[in-house]
């Protein structure tokens, strides 16, 4: 996953009619893993993701995930092994599908990527040397840690992130429908220009051709990649182009409080209170402390909300964090925007 930083090179990716017909969008959980992990390990107060990082970083350290396989696979800057970003199958693969694709990576692919990483980093750490020697066995340990990281750092927030990413895809798709593909590419990023059946990209370290990139194009909106473009080119997979989604700046902003009386009439006051408190993921104990409800009562209400599809649970170390689902977010937004007096 080379970064689009450094010597200014104008690369042009040509498009045939077949390539253009194979342009599609995908939301990929794995494209959020490497940049979010980097942000957490950096210890910096990121202007957009500070509130998320402040919540997650202590859990990352407590679980020891800052010292495991990912700490060697995802360096602070530069190249990240391409096998960590398999080509998404379909518009929105589940994280489990991407972990399975990583486990299925060929030994040659893994070793080639690790050799590339070693050239960038001046060598491999002890875990990656084991992975290089026995990819098939060690990839299972890598995906086990990916799963642990996902549950701790991203799963509790995925409904909110996914809503933003889906909104970006809807906006881009509408742009294509109303103005054509040229407007899509010209508006996607300042370094992209669509001209004469080709996509020109500035600020690349290496040329980009169809022979080295593969057919078609996968466009992947992301929350954590930052303002630069990120690419993955590993034929026969289509080239992947990850970009910062619209709306990242407001991703972690506190939402307006819902009209509690209206929602309480349907869900009950205690369940409504808990949904409101789940603006950020929290454990049963934390919710009891913040709401004044008993721990047993909170547990009972959360079970009811989970059965109704409004709350999901995610293990983070020894704790279980509860978070609102996309359905709950939609419900709360509808209540917030409902006009007074309209049933």
């Amino acid at each position: 996953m080379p970064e689009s930083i450094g010597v200014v090179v104008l690369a042009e990716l040509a498009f045939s009619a077949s390539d253009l017909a194979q342009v599609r969008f995908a939301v990929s959980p794995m494209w959020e893993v490497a940049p979010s992990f980097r942000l957490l390990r950096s210890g910096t107060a990121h202007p957009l993701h500070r509130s998320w990082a402040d919540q997650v970083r202590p859990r990352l350290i407590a679980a020891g995930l800052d010292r495991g396989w990912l700490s060697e696979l995802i360096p602070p800057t530069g190249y990240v092994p391409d096998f960590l970003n398999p080509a998404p199958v379909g518009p929105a693969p589940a994280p489990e599908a991407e972990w399975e694709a990583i486990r299925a990576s060929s030994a040659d692919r893994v070793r080639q990527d690790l050799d590339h990483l070693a050239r960038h980093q001046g060598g491999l750490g002890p875990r990656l040397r084991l992975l290089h020697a026995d990819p098939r066995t060690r990839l299972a340990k890598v995906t086990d840690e990916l799963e642990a990281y996902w549950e701790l750092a991203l799963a509790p927030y995925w409904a909110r992130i996914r809503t933003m990413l889906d909104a970006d895809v809807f906006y881009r798709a509408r742009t294509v429908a109303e103005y054509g593909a040229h407007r899509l590419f010209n508006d996607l990023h300042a370094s992209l220009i669509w001209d004469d059946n080709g996509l020109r990209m500035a600020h690349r370290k290496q040329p980009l051709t169809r022979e080295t990139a593969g057919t078609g194009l996968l466009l992947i909106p992301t929350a954590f990649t930052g303002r630069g473009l990120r690419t993955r080119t590993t034929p026969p997979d289509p080239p992947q182009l990850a970009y910062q989604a619209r709306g990242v700046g407001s991703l972690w902003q506190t939402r307006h409080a819902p009209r509690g009386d209206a929602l309480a009439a349907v869900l009950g006051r205690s369940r409504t209170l808990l949904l409101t408190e789940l603006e950020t993921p929290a454990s049963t104990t934390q919710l009891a402390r913040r709401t004044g409800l008993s721990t047993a009562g909170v547990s009972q209400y959360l079970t009811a909300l989970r059965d109704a599809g409004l709350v999901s649970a995610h293990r983070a170390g020894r704790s279980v964090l509860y978070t609102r689902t996309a359905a709950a977010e939609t419900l709360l937004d509808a209540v917030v925007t409902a006009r007074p007096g309209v049933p």
Side-chain angles (χ1 to χ4, degrees):
M1 187 170 59
E3 297 197 20
S4 55
I5 304 171
V7 178
V8 175
V9 175
L10 187 63
E12 183 168 353
L13 185 64
F15 278 76
S16 66
S18 176
D19 290 317
L20 198 56
Q22 295 179 69
V23 174
R24 65 182 178 93
F25 287 89
V27 171
S28 169
M30 278 306 303
W31 268 101
E32 305 295 351
V33 168
S36 65
F37 183 81
R38 276 179 167 166
L39 190 157
L40 291 172
R41 289 197 73 209
S42 71
T44 58
H46 193 279
L48 297 182
H49 301 295
R50 179 173 183 171
S51 62
W52 169 84
D54 287 347
Q55 295 172 45
V56 175
R57 188 177 287 119
R59 300 201 295 264
L60 180 87
I61 295 171
L65 294 177
D66 60 327
R67 305 181 298 276
W69 291 89
L70 296 184
S71 67
E72 294 186 26
L73 275 168
I74 304 173
T77 60
Y79 176 74
V80 173
D82 287 321
F83 70 83
L84 288 179
N85 291 104
V89 177
E96 295 82 3
E98 297 202 307
W99 302 331
E100 184 61 34
I102 292 171
R103 282 192 290 269
S105 301
S106 70
D108 288 343
R109 170 83 267 164
V110 173
R111 291 190 178 108
Q112 180 180 336
D113 289 352
L114 292 179
D115 289 342
H116 193 127
L117 180 64
R119 289 193 293 272
H120 276 258
Q121 300 295 318
L124 297 176
R127 290 183 179 85
L128 296 194
R129 290 196 294 271
L130 292 173
L131 179 60
H132 195 285
D134 186 7
R136 186 170 299 279
T137 300
R138 303 296 177 179
L139 276 177
K141 294 185 177 297
V142 171
T143 52
D144 284 348
E145 189 166 304
L146 283 171
E147 181 175 359
Y149 176 77
W150 174 264
E151 284 296 311
L152 182 149
L154 293 172
Y157 308 88
W158 187 239
R160 175 178 287 202
I161 295 171
R162 175 69 189 274
T163 297
M164 181 199 67
L165 300 179
D166 286 346
D168 179 272
V169 171
F170 178 82
Y171 171 83
R172 308 292 178 186
R174 184 171 180 177
T175 297
V176 174
E178 294 181 351
Y179 301 103
H182 72 286
R183 175 74 71 89
L184 164 69
F185 289 123
N186 286 333
D187 287 350
L188 200 64
H189 193 270
S191 67
L192 295 179
I193 301 173
W194 175 263
D195 187 36
D196 296 331
N197 298 321
L199 186 62
R200 298 182 180 181
M201 304 181 196
H203 303 287
R204 279 192 58 84
K205 292 183 178 181
Q206 298 176 351
L208 186 63
T209 66
R210 278 296 166 193
E211 289 71 24
T212 60
T215 60
L217 182 65
L218 263 172
L219 298 171
I220 302 178
T222 64
F224 289 98
T225 55
R227 295 181 179 179
L229 291 174
R230 303 292 184 266
T231 60
R232 177 189 186 268
T233 53
T234 55
D237 292 342
Q240 299 183 47
L241 182 61
Y243 63 93
Q244 186 178 77
R246 291 164 50 90
V248 170
S250 59
L251 178 61
W252 307 116
Q253 288 182 358
T254 301
R255 316 285 177 84
H256 294 295
R259 295 169 62 225
D261 291 343
L263 195 56
V266 178
L267 298 180
R269 191 167 298 279
S270 295
R271 296 183 184 90
T272 299
L273 177 60
L274 290 174
L275 274 188
T276 304
E277 285 293 326
L278 286 174
E279 176 70 23
T280 58
S283 67
T284 302
T285 302
Q286 290 170 329
L287 288 168
R289 185 168 58 247
R290 283 164 19 191
T291 62
L293 299 170
S294 69
T295 303
V298 169
S299 180
Q300 179 183 349
Y301 296 135
L302 288 174
T303 298
L305 290 169
R306 187 176 182 181
D307 291 343
L310 298 177
V311 162
S312 58
H314 308 275
R315 181 161 293 282
R318 296 181 180 179
S319 299
V320 174
L321 297 180
Y322 292 88
T323 185
R324 298 194 298 234
T325 63
E329 296 288 352
T330 301
L331 176 63
L332 290 173
D333 287 343
V335 172
V336 167
T337 57
R339 288 178 297 168
V342 177

